[in-house]
Short mmCIF file of all heavy atoms in Angstrom, two decimals:
data_model
loop_
_atom_site.label_atom_id
_atom_site.label_comp_id
_atom_site.label_asym_id
_atom_site.label_seq_id
_atom_site.Cartn_x
_atom_site.Cartn_y
_atom_site.Cartn_z
N LEU A 186 -5.99 -0.62 -19.36
CA LEU A 186 -5.61 -1.72 -18.47
C LEU A 186 -6.82 -2.43 -17.88
O LEU A 186 -6.90 -3.69 -17.90
CB LEU A 186 -4.69 -1.20 -17.34
CG LEU A 186 -4.28 -2.23 -16.28
CD1 LEU A 186 -3.48 -3.34 -16.92
CD2 LEU A 186 -3.49 -1.55 -15.16
N THR A 187 -7.78 -1.69 -17.37
CA THR A 187 -8.92 -2.33 -16.70
C THR A 187 -9.80 -3.08 -17.69
O THR A 187 -10.35 -4.14 -17.36
CB THR A 187 -9.73 -1.28 -15.91
OG1 THR A 187 -10.68 -1.94 -15.10
CG2 THR A 187 -10.49 -0.35 -16.83
N ASN A 188 -9.91 -2.59 -18.92
CA ASN A 188 -10.67 -3.32 -19.91
C ASN A 188 -9.98 -4.58 -20.40
O ASN A 188 -10.62 -5.57 -20.69
CB ASN A 188 -11.01 -2.39 -21.11
CG ASN A 188 -12.17 -1.48 -20.83
OD1 ASN A 188 -13.33 -1.90 -20.86
ND2 ASN A 188 -11.89 -0.22 -20.53
N LEU A 189 -8.66 -4.54 -20.47
CA LEU A 189 -7.93 -5.76 -20.80
C LEU A 189 -8.03 -6.78 -19.67
O LEU A 189 -8.20 -7.99 -19.90
CB LEU A 189 -6.45 -5.43 -21.06
CG LEU A 189 -6.16 -4.67 -22.37
CD1 LEU A 189 -4.68 -4.29 -22.44
CD2 LEU A 189 -6.54 -5.51 -23.58
N LEU A 190 -7.96 -6.33 -18.41
CA LEU A 190 -8.11 -7.24 -17.27
C LEU A 190 -9.50 -7.83 -17.24
O LEU A 190 -9.69 -8.98 -16.81
CB LEU A 190 -7.82 -6.49 -15.98
CG LEU A 190 -6.38 -6.12 -15.68
CD1 LEU A 190 -6.27 -5.29 -14.40
CD2 LEU A 190 -5.49 -7.34 -15.59
N LEU A 191 -10.49 -7.09 -17.68
CA LEU A 191 -11.86 -7.57 -17.66
C LEU A 191 -12.11 -8.70 -18.67
O LEU A 191 -13.07 -9.48 -18.50
CB LEU A 191 -12.82 -6.40 -17.95
CG LEU A 191 -14.31 -6.61 -17.80
CD1 LEU A 191 -14.65 -7.07 -16.37
CD2 LEU A 191 -15.05 -5.32 -18.12
N LEU A 192 -11.26 -8.80 -19.68
CA LEU A 192 -11.46 -9.78 -20.72
C LEU A 192 -11.44 -11.22 -20.15
O LEU A 192 -12.26 -12.05 -20.52
CB LEU A 192 -10.37 -9.63 -21.79
CG LEU A 192 -10.41 -10.60 -22.96
CD1 LEU A 192 -11.77 -10.57 -23.67
CD2 LEU A 192 -9.28 -10.29 -23.94
N GLY A 193 -10.53 -11.51 -19.23
CA GLY A 193 -10.45 -12.84 -18.63
C GLY A 193 -11.70 -13.25 -17.89
O GLY A 193 -12.29 -14.31 -18.18
N PRO A 194 -12.20 -12.44 -16.91
CA PRO A 194 -13.46 -12.78 -16.26
C PRO A 194 -14.64 -12.90 -17.20
O PRO A 194 -15.50 -13.77 -17.00
CB PRO A 194 -13.65 -11.62 -15.26
CG PRO A 194 -12.26 -11.14 -14.97
CD PRO A 194 -11.51 -11.30 -16.27
N LEU A 195 -14.71 -12.07 -18.24
CA LEU A 195 -15.79 -12.17 -19.20
C LEU A 195 -15.78 -13.52 -19.91
O LEU A 195 -16.81 -14.16 -20.09
CB LEU A 195 -15.73 -11.04 -20.22
CG LEU A 195 -16.40 -9.70 -19.87
CD1 LEU A 195 -16.15 -8.70 -20.96
CD2 LEU A 195 -17.88 -9.89 -19.63
N LEU A 196 -14.60 -13.94 -20.34
CA LEU A 196 -14.49 -15.23 -21.03
C LEU A 196 -14.88 -16.35 -20.07
O LEU A 196 -15.58 -17.32 -20.48
CB LEU A 196 -13.07 -15.43 -21.55
CG LEU A 196 -12.69 -14.55 -22.75
CD1 LEU A 196 -11.20 -14.73 -23.06
CD2 LEU A 196 -13.52 -14.95 -23.98
N LEU A 197 -14.44 -16.32 -18.83
CA LEU A 197 -14.81 -17.33 -17.87
C LEU A 197 -16.33 -17.37 -17.66
O LEU A 197 -16.95 -18.44 -17.56
CB LEU A 197 -14.12 -17.08 -16.52
CG LEU A 197 -12.60 -17.34 -16.47
CD1 LEU A 197 -12.06 -16.92 -15.11
CD2 LEU A 197 -12.30 -18.80 -16.73
N LEU A 198 -16.94 -16.20 -17.59
CA LEU A 198 -18.38 -16.10 -17.38
C LEU A 198 -19.15 -16.70 -18.56
O LEU A 198 -20.04 -17.55 -18.40
CB LEU A 198 -18.77 -14.64 -17.17
CG LEU A 198 -20.27 -14.35 -17.06
CD1 LEU A 198 -20.89 -15.08 -15.86
CD2 LEU A 198 -20.53 -12.85 -16.99
N TYR A 199 -18.80 -16.30 -19.75
CA TYR A 199 -19.53 -16.75 -20.92
C TYR A 199 -19.28 -18.22 -21.22
O TYR A 199 -20.19 -18.94 -21.69
CB TYR A 199 -19.19 -15.90 -22.14
CG TYR A 199 -19.69 -14.48 -22.03
CD1 TYR A 199 -19.20 -13.46 -22.86
CD2 TYR A 199 -20.65 -14.11 -21.10
CE1 TYR A 199 -19.65 -12.15 -22.77
CE2 TYR A 199 -21.09 -12.80 -20.98
CZ TYR A 199 -20.60 -11.84 -21.83
OH TYR A 199 -21.05 -10.54 -21.71
N ARG A 200 -18.09 -18.71 -20.93
CA ARG A 200 -17.81 -20.14 -21.15
C ARG A 200 -18.49 -21.01 -20.09
O ARG A 200 -18.67 -22.19 -20.31
CB ARG A 200 -16.29 -20.37 -21.14
CG ARG A 200 -15.63 -19.91 -22.43
CD ARG A 200 -14.13 -19.97 -22.38
NE ARG A 200 -13.54 -19.61 -23.65
CZ ARG A 200 -12.23 -19.38 -23.85
NH1 ARG A 200 -11.40 -19.45 -22.80
NH2 ARG A 200 -11.79 -19.06 -25.04
N ALA A 201 -18.84 -20.40 -18.97
CA ALA A 201 -19.65 -21.16 -17.99
C ALA A 201 -21.09 -21.28 -18.45
O ALA A 201 -21.81 -22.17 -17.97
CB ALA A 201 -19.60 -20.44 -16.63
N ILE A 202 -21.50 -20.43 -19.38
CA ILE A 202 -22.88 -20.44 -19.85
C ILE A 202 -23.06 -21.30 -21.07
O ILE A 202 -24.08 -21.99 -21.24
CB ILE A 202 -23.35 -19.00 -20.16
CG1 ILE A 202 -23.31 -18.17 -18.87
CG2 ILE A 202 -24.71 -18.96 -20.77
CD1 ILE A 202 -23.50 -16.70 -19.11
N THR A 203 -22.09 -21.30 -21.99
CA THR A 203 -22.23 -22.01 -23.26
C THR A 203 -20.89 -22.49 -23.76
O THR A 203 -19.85 -21.94 -23.40
CB THR A 203 -22.87 -21.09 -24.32
OG1 THR A 203 -23.01 -21.81 -25.55
CG2 THR A 203 -21.99 -19.87 -24.57
N ASP A 204 -20.93 -23.52 -24.60
CA ASP A 204 -19.73 -24.03 -25.29
C ASP A 204 -19.60 -23.43 -26.69
O ASP A 204 -18.64 -23.75 -27.39
CB ASP A 204 -19.79 -25.54 -25.39
CG ASP A 204 -19.71 -26.21 -24.01
OD1 ASP A 204 -19.07 -25.63 -23.13
OD2 ASP A 204 -20.31 -27.29 -23.86
N SER A 205 -20.55 -22.61 -27.09
CA SER A 205 -20.51 -22.03 -28.44
C SER A 205 -19.45 -20.94 -28.53
O SER A 205 -19.51 -19.91 -27.85
CB SER A 205 -21.88 -21.43 -28.78
OG SER A 205 -21.81 -20.67 -29.96
N ARG A 206 -18.46 -21.19 -29.37
CA ARG A 206 -17.38 -20.20 -29.55
C ARG A 206 -17.96 -18.90 -30.09
O ARG A 206 -17.52 -17.80 -29.72
CB ARG A 206 -16.34 -20.76 -30.51
CG ARG A 206 -15.10 -19.91 -30.59
CD ARG A 206 -14.14 -20.42 -31.64
NE ARG A 206 -14.59 -20.00 -32.98
CZ ARG A 206 -13.77 -19.88 -34.03
NH1 ARG A 206 -12.50 -20.22 -33.91
NH2 ARG A 206 -14.24 -19.51 -35.20
N ARG A 207 -18.93 -19.01 -30.99
CA ARG A 207 -19.49 -17.79 -31.58
C ARG A 207 -20.18 -16.93 -30.55
O ARG A 207 -20.01 -15.70 -30.52
CB ARG A 207 -20.48 -18.18 -32.67
CG ARG A 207 -21.06 -16.96 -33.42
CD ARG A 207 -22.17 -17.36 -34.35
NE ARG A 207 -21.72 -18.37 -35.30
CZ ARG A 207 -22.52 -19.01 -36.14
NH1 ARG A 207 -23.84 -18.77 -36.11
NH2 ARG A 207 -22.07 -19.91 -36.98
N LEU A 208 -20.95 -17.54 -29.67
CA LEU A 208 -21.65 -16.76 -28.65
C LEU A 208 -20.69 -16.18 -27.61
O LEU A 208 -20.87 -15.06 -27.13
CB LEU A 208 -22.71 -17.62 -27.97
CG LEU A 208 -23.94 -17.97 -28.82
CD1 LEU A 208 -24.93 -18.78 -27.98
CD2 LEU A 208 -24.60 -16.75 -29.39
N VAL A 209 -19.68 -16.96 -27.25
CA VAL A 209 -18.71 -16.47 -26.26
C VAL A 209 -18.00 -15.22 -26.78
O VAL A 209 -18.00 -14.15 -26.16
CB VAL A 209 -17.72 -17.57 -25.88
CG1 VAL A 209 -16.53 -16.99 -25.11
CG2 VAL A 209 -18.40 -18.67 -25.08
N TRP A 210 -17.38 -15.35 -27.95
CA TRP A 210 -16.59 -14.21 -28.46
C TRP A 210 -17.50 -13.12 -29.00
O TRP A 210 -17.18 -11.92 -28.89
CB TRP A 210 -15.64 -14.68 -29.55
CG TRP A 210 -14.47 -15.43 -28.99
CD1 TRP A 210 -14.26 -16.77 -29.02
CD2 TRP A 210 -13.39 -14.86 -28.26
NE1 TRP A 210 -13.09 -17.10 -28.37
CE2 TRP A 210 -12.54 -15.93 -27.90
CE3 TRP A 210 -13.03 -13.58 -27.90
CZ2 TRP A 210 -11.34 -15.73 -27.18
CZ3 TRP A 210 -11.86 -13.37 -27.16
CH2 TRP A 210 -11.04 -14.46 -26.83
N GLY A 211 -18.66 -13.48 -29.54
CA GLY A 211 -19.61 -12.47 -29.96
C GLY A 211 -20.13 -11.65 -28.79
O GLY A 211 -20.27 -10.43 -28.88
N GLY A 212 -20.40 -12.32 -27.65
CA GLY A 212 -20.82 -11.59 -26.47
C GLY A 212 -19.75 -10.67 -25.96
O GLY A 212 -20.03 -9.54 -25.51
N VAL A 213 -18.50 -11.12 -25.98
CA VAL A 213 -17.38 -10.27 -25.55
C VAL A 213 -17.27 -9.04 -26.45
O VAL A 213 -17.10 -7.91 -25.95
CB VAL A 213 -16.07 -11.08 -25.55
CG1 VAL A 213 -14.87 -10.16 -25.35
CG2 VAL A 213 -16.10 -12.11 -24.44
N TRP A 214 -17.34 -9.25 -27.74
CA TRP A 214 -17.23 -8.11 -28.68
C TRP A 214 -18.37 -7.11 -28.43
O TRP A 214 -18.12 -5.89 -28.37
CB TRP A 214 -17.28 -8.61 -30.12
CG TRP A 214 -17.18 -7.53 -31.14
CD1 TRP A 214 -18.17 -6.72 -31.61
CD2 TRP A 214 -15.98 -7.09 -31.82
NE1 TRP A 214 -17.71 -5.83 -32.54
CE2 TRP A 214 -16.37 -6.04 -32.69
CE3 TRP A 214 -14.67 -7.51 -31.80
CZ2 TRP A 214 -15.45 -5.41 -33.52
CZ3 TRP A 214 -13.74 -6.85 -32.61
CH2 TRP A 214 -14.12 -5.83 -33.47
N LEU A 215 -19.58 -7.62 -28.27
CA LEU A 215 -20.71 -6.73 -28.01
C LEU A 215 -20.57 -5.99 -26.69
O LEU A 215 -20.95 -4.83 -26.57
CB LEU A 215 -22.02 -7.51 -28.06
CG LEU A 215 -22.55 -7.90 -29.43
CD1 LEU A 215 -23.80 -8.73 -29.31
CD2 LEU A 215 -22.81 -6.65 -30.29
N PHE A 216 -20.03 -6.68 -25.69
CA PHE A 216 -19.83 -6.02 -24.39
C PHE A 216 -18.99 -4.75 -24.57
O PHE A 216 -19.36 -3.66 -24.07
CB PHE A 216 -19.15 -6.96 -23.41
CG PHE A 216 -18.81 -6.31 -22.08
CD1 PHE A 216 -19.73 -6.33 -21.04
CD2 PHE A 216 -17.59 -5.69 -21.88
CE1 PHE A 216 -19.43 -5.71 -19.84
CE2 PHE A 216 -17.29 -5.07 -20.68
CZ PHE A 216 -18.20 -5.09 -19.65
N TYR A 217 -17.87 -4.86 -25.25
CA TYR A 217 -17.01 -3.70 -25.42
C TYR A 217 -17.60 -2.70 -26.41
O TYR A 217 -17.21 -1.52 -26.39
CB TYR A 217 -15.63 -4.14 -25.88
CG TYR A 217 -14.84 -4.83 -24.79
CD1 TYR A 217 -14.57 -6.19 -24.84
CD2 TYR A 217 -14.38 -4.12 -23.69
CE1 TYR A 217 -13.87 -6.84 -23.84
CE2 TYR A 217 -13.68 -4.76 -22.68
CZ TYR A 217 -13.41 -6.12 -22.75
OH TYR A 217 -12.72 -6.73 -21.73
N SER A 218 -18.51 -3.15 -27.23
CA SER A 218 -19.15 -2.25 -28.22
C SER A 218 -20.29 -1.44 -27.63
O SER A 218 -20.72 -0.47 -28.26
CB SER A 218 -19.67 -3.06 -29.40
OG SER A 218 -18.63 -3.68 -30.11
N ILE A 219 -20.81 -1.83 -26.47
CA ILE A 219 -21.93 -1.11 -25.89
C ILE A 219 -21.59 -0.55 -24.50
O ILE A 219 -22.49 -0.01 -23.83
CB ILE A 219 -23.18 -1.99 -25.81
CG1 ILE A 219 -22.94 -3.22 -24.94
CG2 ILE A 219 -23.63 -2.42 -27.22
CD1 ILE A 219 -24.17 -4.13 -24.80
N SER A 220 -20.34 -0.65 -24.10
CA SER A 220 -19.95 -0.18 -22.76
C SER A 220 -19.61 1.32 -22.85
O SER A 220 -18.43 1.70 -22.89
CB SER A 220 -18.75 -0.98 -22.25
OG SER A 220 -18.37 -0.55 -20.97
N TRP A 221 -20.62 2.16 -22.84
CA TRP A 221 -20.43 3.58 -23.09
C TRP A 221 -20.52 4.42 -21.80
O TRP A 221 -20.30 5.64 -21.86
CB TRP A 221 -21.49 4.08 -24.06
CG TRP A 221 -22.91 3.85 -23.61
CD1 TRP A 221 -23.71 2.81 -23.94
CD2 TRP A 221 -23.72 4.67 -22.75
NE1 TRP A 221 -24.95 2.92 -23.36
CE2 TRP A 221 -24.97 4.07 -22.61
CE3 TRP A 221 -23.47 5.88 -22.08
CZ2 TRP A 221 -26.00 4.60 -21.83
CZ3 TRP A 221 -24.49 6.42 -21.30
CH2 TRP A 221 -25.72 5.79 -21.18
N VAL A 222 -20.80 3.83 -20.65
CA VAL A 222 -21.05 4.67 -19.46
C VAL A 222 -19.78 5.29 -18.91
O VAL A 222 -19.86 6.17 -18.05
CB VAL A 222 -21.75 3.83 -18.37
CG1 VAL A 222 -23.15 3.47 -18.77
CG2 VAL A 222 -20.94 2.58 -18.04
N GLY A 223 -18.61 4.85 -19.35
CA GLY A 223 -17.37 5.53 -18.96
C GLY A 223 -16.95 5.30 -17.52
O GLY A 223 -16.27 6.16 -16.92
N GLN A 224 -17.27 4.15 -16.94
CA GLN A 224 -16.87 3.86 -15.55
C GLN A 224 -15.59 3.05 -15.52
O GLN A 224 -15.40 2.21 -14.63
CB GLN A 224 -18.00 3.12 -14.84
CG GLN A 224 -19.26 3.92 -14.66
CD GLN A 224 -19.07 5.09 -13.72
OE1 GLN A 224 -18.32 5.02 -12.75
NE2 GLN A 224 -19.75 6.19 -13.99
N ASP A 225 -14.71 3.28 -16.46
CA ASP A 225 -13.44 2.51 -16.54
C ASP A 225 -12.23 3.38 -16.26
O ASP A 225 -11.10 2.95 -16.46
CB ASP A 225 -13.31 1.86 -17.91
CG ASP A 225 -13.53 2.84 -19.07
OD1 ASP A 225 -13.55 4.06 -18.81
OD2 ASP A 225 -13.70 2.38 -20.22
N TYR A 226 -12.43 4.62 -15.79
CA TYR A 226 -11.30 5.48 -15.46
C TYR A 226 -10.66 5.03 -14.14
O TYR A 226 -11.10 4.07 -13.50
CB TYR A 226 -11.74 6.93 -15.41
CG TYR A 226 -12.82 7.24 -14.39
CD1 TYR A 226 -12.50 7.68 -13.13
CD2 TYR A 226 -14.17 7.05 -14.71
CE1 TYR A 226 -13.49 7.94 -12.21
CE2 TYR A 226 -15.16 7.31 -13.78
CZ TYR A 226 -14.80 7.75 -12.54
OH TYR A 226 -15.79 8.00 -11.59
N PHE A 227 -9.64 5.75 -13.72
CA PHE A 227 -8.89 5.40 -12.51
C PHE A 227 -9.81 5.63 -11.30
O PHE A 227 -9.91 6.71 -10.77
CB PHE A 227 -7.63 6.25 -12.42
CG PHE A 227 -6.73 5.89 -11.27
CD1 PHE A 227 -5.98 4.71 -11.31
CD2 PHE A 227 -6.58 6.70 -10.17
CE1 PHE A 227 -5.14 4.37 -10.26
CE2 PHE A 227 -5.74 6.38 -9.13
CZ PHE A 227 -5.04 5.21 -9.18
N ALA A 228 -10.45 4.54 -10.85
CA ALA A 228 -11.47 4.69 -9.82
C ALA A 228 -11.73 3.33 -9.17
O ALA A 228 -11.52 2.28 -9.79
CB ALA A 228 -12.78 5.23 -10.41
N PRO A 229 -12.22 3.33 -7.93
CA PRO A 229 -12.59 2.06 -7.29
C PRO A 229 -13.67 1.31 -8.05
O PRO A 229 -13.68 0.08 -8.08
CB PRO A 229 -13.11 2.52 -5.92
CG PRO A 229 -12.50 3.84 -5.67
CD PRO A 229 -12.36 4.47 -7.00
N GLN A 230 -14.59 2.02 -8.72
CA GLN A 230 -15.67 1.37 -9.44
C GLN A 230 -15.11 0.46 -10.54
O GLN A 230 -15.58 -0.67 -10.72
CB GLN A 230 -16.62 2.40 -10.05
CG GLN A 230 -17.73 1.81 -10.91
CD GLN A 230 -18.73 1.00 -10.12
OE1 GLN A 230 -19.72 1.50 -9.65
NE2 GLN A 230 -18.47 -0.29 -9.94
N ALA A 231 -14.15 0.94 -11.30
CA ALA A 231 -13.56 0.13 -12.36
C ALA A 231 -12.88 -1.11 -11.79
O ALA A 231 -13.00 -2.23 -12.34
CB ALA A 231 -12.56 0.96 -13.16
N PHE A 232 -12.21 -0.96 -10.69
CA PHE A 232 -11.48 -2.06 -10.06
C PHE A 232 -12.45 -3.13 -9.56
O PHE A 232 -12.31 -4.33 -9.84
CB PHE A 232 -10.63 -1.52 -8.92
CG PHE A 232 -10.05 -2.57 -8.01
CD1 PHE A 232 -9.07 -3.43 -8.48
CD2 PHE A 232 -10.47 -2.70 -6.69
CE1 PHE A 232 -8.53 -4.41 -7.66
CE2 PHE A 232 -9.92 -3.66 -5.87
CZ PHE A 232 -8.95 -4.52 -6.35
N VAL A 233 -13.49 -2.71 -8.83
CA VAL A 233 -14.40 -3.71 -8.25
C VAL A 233 -15.34 -4.29 -9.30
O VAL A 233 -15.85 -5.39 -9.10
CB VAL A 233 -15.22 -3.11 -7.09
CG1 VAL A 233 -14.32 -2.71 -5.95
CG2 VAL A 233 -16.07 -1.92 -7.54
N PHE A 234 -15.54 -3.60 -10.41
CA PHE A 234 -16.36 -4.22 -11.46
C PHE A 234 -15.70 -5.44 -12.07
O PHE A 234 -16.34 -6.43 -12.38
CB PHE A 234 -16.69 -3.19 -12.55
CG PHE A 234 -17.62 -3.73 -13.61
CD1 PHE A 234 -18.93 -3.99 -13.31
CD2 PHE A 234 -17.15 -3.98 -14.90
CE1 PHE A 234 -19.78 -4.51 -14.28
CE2 PHE A 234 -18.00 -4.47 -15.87
CZ PHE A 234 -19.33 -4.72 -15.57
N VAL A 235 -14.36 -5.36 -12.21
CA VAL A 235 -13.63 -6.55 -12.64
C VAL A 235 -13.83 -7.69 -11.65
O VAL A 235 -14.06 -8.84 -12.04
CB VAL A 235 -12.13 -6.22 -12.81
CG1 VAL A 235 -11.33 -7.48 -13.15
CG2 VAL A 235 -11.93 -5.19 -13.91
N LEU A 236 -13.77 -7.38 -10.35
CA LEU A 236 -13.99 -8.41 -9.34
C LEU A 236 -15.42 -8.91 -9.36
O LEU A 236 -15.67 -10.11 -9.15
CB LEU A 236 -13.65 -7.83 -7.95
CG LEU A 236 -12.22 -7.37 -7.71
CD1 LEU A 236 -12.04 -6.88 -6.28
CD2 LEU A 236 -11.23 -8.50 -8.00
N PHE A 237 -16.38 -8.03 -9.61
CA PHE A 237 -17.78 -8.42 -9.68
C PHE A 237 -18.01 -9.44 -10.80
O PHE A 237 -18.68 -10.45 -10.62
CB PHE A 237 -18.66 -7.18 -9.89
CG PHE A 237 -20.11 -7.48 -10.14
CD1 PHE A 237 -20.96 -7.80 -9.09
CD2 PHE A 237 -20.61 -7.40 -11.44
CE1 PHE A 237 -22.30 -8.06 -9.33
CE2 PHE A 237 -21.96 -7.66 -11.67
CZ PHE A 237 -22.79 -7.99 -10.64
N VAL A 238 -17.47 -9.17 -11.99
CA VAL A 238 -17.63 -10.10 -13.11
C VAL A 238 -16.90 -11.42 -12.82
O VAL A 238 -17.38 -12.49 -13.16
CB VAL A 238 -17.10 -9.45 -14.41
CG1 VAL A 238 -17.21 -10.44 -15.58
CG2 VAL A 238 -17.90 -8.19 -14.73
N LEU A 239 -15.73 -11.34 -12.17
CA LEU A 239 -15.03 -12.56 -11.79
C LEU A 239 -15.86 -13.38 -10.81
O LEU A 239 -15.93 -14.61 -10.93
CB LEU A 239 -13.67 -12.19 -11.16
CG LEU A 239 -12.83 -13.37 -10.67
CD1 LEU A 239 -12.53 -14.35 -11.80
CD2 LEU A 239 -11.52 -12.86 -10.06
N LEU A 240 -16.50 -12.74 -9.86
CA LEU A 240 -17.37 -13.46 -8.92
C LEU A 240 -18.53 -14.12 -9.65
O LEU A 240 -18.87 -15.26 -9.37
CB LEU A 240 -17.89 -12.47 -7.86
CG LEU A 240 -18.80 -13.08 -6.79
CD1 LEU A 240 -18.01 -13.99 -5.88
CD2 LEU A 240 -19.51 -12.00 -6.00
N LEU A 241 -19.14 -13.41 -10.59
CA LEU A 241 -20.21 -14.01 -11.40
C LEU A 241 -19.72 -15.25 -12.11
O LEU A 241 -20.39 -16.27 -12.19
CB LEU A 241 -20.76 -13.00 -12.40
CG LEU A 241 -21.59 -11.84 -11.87
CD1 LEU A 241 -22.04 -10.96 -13.02
CD2 LEU A 241 -22.79 -12.34 -11.09
#
Side-chain angles (χ1 to χ4, degrees):
L186 176 61
T187 191
N188 280 284
L189 289 175
L190 289 176
L191 188 58
L192 180 56
L195 273 177
L196 288 173
L197 289 175
L198 175 62
Y199 292 163
R200 285 173 176 168
I202 297 170
T203 181
D204 295 328
S205 170
R206 189 186 78 157
R207 183 188 304 172
L208 290 182
V209 168
W210 286 106
V213 168
W214 181 278
L215 283 177
F216 175 90
Y217 289 110
S218 296
I219 61 179
S220 182
W221 57 265
V222 292
Q224 294 294 325
D225 50 14
Y226 60 95
F227 186 72
Q230 176 67 91
F232 169 68
V233 296
F234 184 68
V235 175
L236 298 182
F237 173 78
V238 177
L239 178 58
L240 180 70
L241 289 180

